[in-house]
Amino acid sequence: ADPFEQDFPEVIEDTLEDGPAVTVKFNRRGTLLAAGCSDGSIVVWDFDTRGVSRSLIGHIKTITSLSWSRNGRYLLSSSRDWNCIVWDLLTGTKKHTIRFDTPVLNAQFHPKNNSIFVAALHQEKPVIVDFSDGIKRQPIQSSSHDGPGDQSEAPSKGPVNWTLVVTYDRHGKRIYTGSNRGYITIYDEETRNILFEIRPTTSAIKNIQFSRRGKDFVVNSNDRVIRVFSVKDDGPPEQLHKFQDLVNRIQWNQCCLSSDSDYVIGGSAHQAEHNIYIWDKVGGNLVKILEGPKEPLEDVAWHPVRPIVASVSNFGTIHIWATNYQENWSAFAPDFKELEENIDYEEREDEFDIVS
């Protein structure tokens, strides 16, 4: 990597179109980009050639999330059609189809084990699925604020607490869940016991995204604020920063950290604009607003290695944002002069005379 390269993108370098995309996910090395579509299909792009490497047909309703296995061979997709499918990308076929009793909100592979994933379900407890030997499902024990496991039980006073988002930490030792009442609950992966619970907000948690190194995570909630937390081994996470657009007070459709964890990005949910906000994680100041075409933004993902961002527009297209690369010809020839504009050259009277 170039040490002098700018470390955040500025311009749209390319646009990928194949199917009405709603969500995107890079694999661990950033060589493949998976796009889940609103018609239930999934397109896997080769990110180096920008060609379609696989088209996967299996779901019949919109894709809610995608997750890559650690080795990059398998892709986990969840959908509103109540199914999760584990795809074998080597053959382009379904390895497993797991059906639930309700739409699947999101699902994520275990970071170290390719045969375990966790899924958040609509108005049900999140479930850990192990398909190494048959298919075993284990609901995660509910937090003290959760709603009834059985719908026949009357909920206690106040609105019911449902899990909306679930994710593993970087090592897969802990499971983080976010609820519709603003609770973030941290479970031990082995014992399934609650380790810590925090409530940074009273509004619904929309997504939780960990940094590449796993030391920080960002939380997007319905109160129009993106919060950055630092992970503590022996205590609850500590809030570092809060980011919001104080002028327009807009919602965020997605948020994530850059590959080096220096920047936090938020994809705005503005109905007529395609804006990506980039903040400095340490200083907390706004570094750049990337303004795309006048299409609402659905999802955004930062490349795991390079300063590249993929954003999905409401029209189903994927925009690839990259740094504005300018060639420096004087680096090759020291006496080469770069001109900003044309210069009128006045020759001497005898300069081009031919002397016989």
Side-chain angles (χ1 to χ4, degrees):
D2 179 4
F4 301 109
E5 187 181 28
Q6 186 177 312
D7 49 1
F8 60 86
E10 280 193 310
V11 292
I12 292 179
E13 173 192 75
D14 203 356
T15 299
L16 309 178
E17 294 183 64
D18 191 320
V22 288
T23 179
V24 287
K25 204 76 168 184
F26 284 103
N27 68 344
R28 204 164 131 251
R29 300 183 189 284
T31 51
L32 297 170
L33 177 68
C37 302
S38 57
D39 60 3
S41 62
I42 298 162
V43 182
V44 180
W45 298 85
D46 182 321
F47 202 69
D48 295 329
T49 63
R50 306 284 161 92
V52 174
S53 128
R54 282 265 184 261
S55 282
L56 309 171
I57 309 291
H59 292 288
I60 54 170
K61 286 197 173 177
T62 185
I63 304 292
T64 52
S65 76
L66 295 166
S67 175
W68 288 87
S69 65
R70 182 175 172 80
N71 60 7
R73 176 171 174 175
Y74 302 109
L75 182 69
L76 169 68
S77 58
S78 69
S79 166
R80 289 192 188 280
D81 64 8
W82 303 16
N83 288 334
C84 278
I85 300 179
V86 179
W87 302 89
D88 184 341
L89 294 182
L90 205 62
T91 57
T93 55
K94 297 178 198 173
K95 186 171 163 45
H96 292 287
T97 301
I98 296 98
R99 185 163 177 81
F100 296 97
D101 301 329
T102 175
V104 188
L105 302 177
N106 84 309
Q108 193 194 19
F109 263 125
H110 190 288
K112 305 283 188 193
N113 188 332
N114 294 332
S115 54
I116 295 176
F117 71 84
V118 64
L121 306 175
H122 177 65
Q123 296 196 349
E124 281 197 10
K125 292 173 186 171
V127 176
I128 294 173
V129 179
D130 183 341
F131 52 87
S132 54
D133 179 21
I135 292 176
K136 301 190 192 75
R137 310 174 188 217
Q138 277 191 304
I140 298 174
Q141 71 149 25
S142 54
S143 138
S144 53
H145 312 284
D146 276 4
D150 177 17
Q151 297 298 313
S152 60
E153 293 177 37
S156 56
K157 61 181 188 292
V160 180
N161 194 57
W162 295 118
T163 298
L164 302 182
V165 57
V166 62
T167 179
Y168 283 105
D169 69 353
R170 182 171 176 258
H171 302 290
K173 291 181 176 164
R174 292 179 178 180
I175 296 169
Y176 287 65
T177 66
S179 81
N180 61 334
R181 290 174 61 200
Y183 290 98
I184 296 173
T185 312
I186 303 163
Y187 298 87
D188 184 287
E189 201 271 335
E190 279 184 31
T191 63
R192 315 281 198 267
N193 292 334
I194 295 176
L195 297 174
F196 309 107
E197 189 169 63
I198 57 172
R199 193 182 192 186
T201 172
T202 53
S203 59
I205 306 283
K206 293 205 281 190
N207 34 50
I208 300 172
Q209 297 271 0
F210 272 84
S211 67
R212 189 166 163 76
R213 295 191 189 96
K215 298 213 166 50
D216 311 287
F217 63 93
V218 283
V219 175
N220 178 19
S221 56
N222 256 342
D223 61 0
R224 300 177 167 86
V225 179
I226 293 172
R227 294 171 172 83
V228 183
F229 291 88
S230 125
V231 176
K232 302 281 182 229
D233 291 334
D234 51 357
E238 180 190 344
Q239 184 170 306
L240 300 177
H241 276 298
K242 285 163 62 169
F243 299 107
Q244 57 187 320
D245 185 342
L246 290 166
V247 180
N248 301 318
R249 296 286 297 155
I250 47 174
Q251 287 276 7
W252 307 101
N253 272 347
Q254 183 59 283
C255 64
C256 64
L257 284 147
S258 64
S259 50
D260 53 10
S261 302
D262 286 349
Y263 299 104
V264 175
I265 62 169
S268 113
H270 196 289
Q271 285 305 302
E273 289 174 359
H274 192 95
N275 290 349
I276 301 169
Y277 288 62
I278 303 179
W279 293 278
D280 179 1
K281 190 192 82 179
V282 180
N285 53 309
L286 183 64
V287 178
K288 183 93 181 163
I289 300 177
L290 306 180
E291 296 183 7
K294 300 279 183 227
E295 309 162 2
L297 181 142
E298 291 280 334
D299 193 15
V300 64
W302 194 295
H303 190 280
V305 189
R306 291 156 61 199
I308 292 176
V309 167
S311 67
V312 182
S313 88
N314 195 292
F315 299 165
T317 53
I318 303 165
H319 299 297
I320 308 296
W321 299 78
T323 51
N324 195 1
Y325 179 68
Q326 290 179 330
E327 286 160 336
N328 181 9
W329 292 101
S330 55
F332 302 106
D335 56 345
F336 185 89
K337 273 190 190 167
E338 291 190 47
L339 303 178
E340 294 291 326
E341 55 188 20
N342 291 344
I343 292 177
D344 290 336
Y345 180 71
E346 293 180 15
E347 75 269 18
R348 300 192 313 276
E349 195 172 335
D350 61 344
E351 188 168 1
F352 297 110
D353 291 354
I354 296 169
V355 181
S356 55

